[in-house]
């Protein structure tokens, strides 16, 4: 089944023809493109956030601004967009009294975060993203974030708009055996 954003007619037709009553949307890109909205508009139940709600996952710059706006504790950061912000981003790295992490703001299949060992590596990652475009559209906007040491966990909550269910904490371990042990 070919799934093509932003129309998703093939998915809707398939669900209607096969009597599918619930779709669990897995790929983040499909959520970011609005598949859940289209399914809901066609009276097909869906497990997954709307396009607007998915932005908190599909844009790290949006997520960081959201956290700041709502006083949710998060590492200090600054976002930069486009080649024209390259020098400002490089200067920002020099101005920080701490090491930074370089993040592609967009969806990058788990490969958009660079944890550099020093400011020169951070600057090279910024050049790779903003100047060379190594992450494509995902790296056209970046987030430079204070590097924090320690354990990280995610707390996920599900809601239907009226009720909230909080899931147990989860940890994501991506660095082992990926060339940056």
């Amino acid at each position: 089944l070919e799934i093509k954003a932003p129309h998703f007619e093939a998915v809707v037709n398939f669900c209607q023809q096969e009597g599918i009553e619930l779709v669990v949307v897995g790929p983040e890109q499909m959520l970011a493109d609005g598949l859940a909205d289209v399914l809901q508009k066609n009276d097909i139940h869906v497990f997954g956030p709307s396009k607007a709600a998915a932005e908190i996952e599909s844009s790290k710059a949006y997520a960081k601004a959201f956290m700041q706006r709502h006083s949710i504790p998060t590492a200090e950061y600054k976002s930069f967009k486009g080649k024209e912000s390259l020098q400002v981003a490089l200067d920002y790295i020099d101005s920080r009294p701490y090491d930074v992490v370089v993040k592609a703001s967009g969806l990058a299949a788990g490969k958009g975060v660079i944890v550099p060992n020093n400011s020169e590596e951070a600057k090279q990652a910024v050049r790779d993203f903003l100047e060379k475009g190594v992450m494509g559209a995902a790296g056209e906007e970046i987030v430079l974030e204070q590097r924090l040491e320690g354990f990280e966990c995610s707390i996920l909550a599900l809601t239907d708009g009226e009720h909230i269910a909080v899931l147990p904490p989860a940890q994501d371990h991506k660095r082992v055996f990926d060339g940056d042990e």
Side-chain angles (χ1 to χ4, degrees), residues 128-175:
D128 288 346
F129 285 16
L130 293 179
E131 190 173 44
K132 296 178 184 173
V134 298
M135 294 304 302
E140 289 174 0
E141 182 172 23
I142 62 168
V143 171
L144 296 180
E145 180 178 277
Q146 180 181 7
R147 181 177 177 165
L148 302 177
E149 298 291 336
F151 294 101
E152 175 183 340
C153 74
S154 296
I155 308 288
L156 302 176
L158 309 176
T159 182
D160 62 2
E162 294 180 29
H163 306 91
I164 297 173
V166 179
L167 301 178
Q171 275 190 296
D172 192 1
H173 304 278
K174 292 183 180 175
R175 293 181 65 183

Side-chain angles (χ1 to χ4, degrees), residues 82-101:
K83 288 181 181 182
E84 63 277 4
S85 69
L86 176 63
Q87 190 57 53
V88 178
L90 296 174
D91 292 343
Y92 179 82
I93 292 170
D94 286 334
S95 73
R96 299 297 89 194
Y98 49 74
D99 291 330
V100 299
V101 175

Side-chain angles (χ1 to χ4, degrees), residues 23-173:
V23 175
V24 178
V25 182
E28 295 164 333
Q29 188 63 58
M30 293 293 113
L31 293 167
D33 289 340
L35 178 56
D37 302 275
V38 172
L39 291 169
Q40 286 178 338
K41 245 167 112 173
N42 286 277
D43 297 320
I44 299 167
H45 296 286
V46 61
F47 180 83
S50 66
K51 181 177 183 173
E55 190 172 11
I56 203 159
E57 179 66 24
S58 65
S59 169
K60 288 174 187 59
Y62 174 84
K64 294 295 283 188
F66 179 92
M67 288 183 268
Q68 189 174 51
R69 196 168 51 251
H70 295 285
S71 300
I72 299 168
T74 187
E76 186 177 321
Y77 80 99
K78 188 159 177 72
S79 298
F80 302 89
K81 190 171 186 175
K83 288 181 181 182
E84 63 277 4
S85 69
L86 176 63
Q87 190 57 53
V88 178
L90 296 174
D91 292 343
Y92 179 82
I93 292 170
D94 286 334
S95 73
R96 299 297 89 194
Y98 49 74
D99 291 330
V100 299
V101 175
V102 182
K103 297 182 175 187
S105 183
L107 293 175
K111 302 296 182 196
V113 176
I114 305 296
V115 183
N117 292 312
N118 55 53
S119 63
E120 286 310 310
E121 286 182 14
K123 289 178 184 180
Q124 187 56 55
V126 168
R127 287 184 197 97
D128 288 346
F129 285 16
L130 293 179
E131 190 173 44
K132 296 178 184 173
V134 298
M135 294 304 302
E140 289 174 0
E141 182 172 23
I142 62 168
V143 171
L144 296 180
E145 180 178 277
Q146 180 181 7
R147 181 177 177 165
L148 302 177
E149 298 291 336
F151 294 101
E152 175 183 340
C153 74
S154 296
I155 308 288
L156 302 176
L158 309 176
T159 182
D160 62 2
E162 294 180 29
H163 306 91
I164 297 173
V166 179
L167 301 178
Q171 275 190 296
D172 192 1
H173 304 278

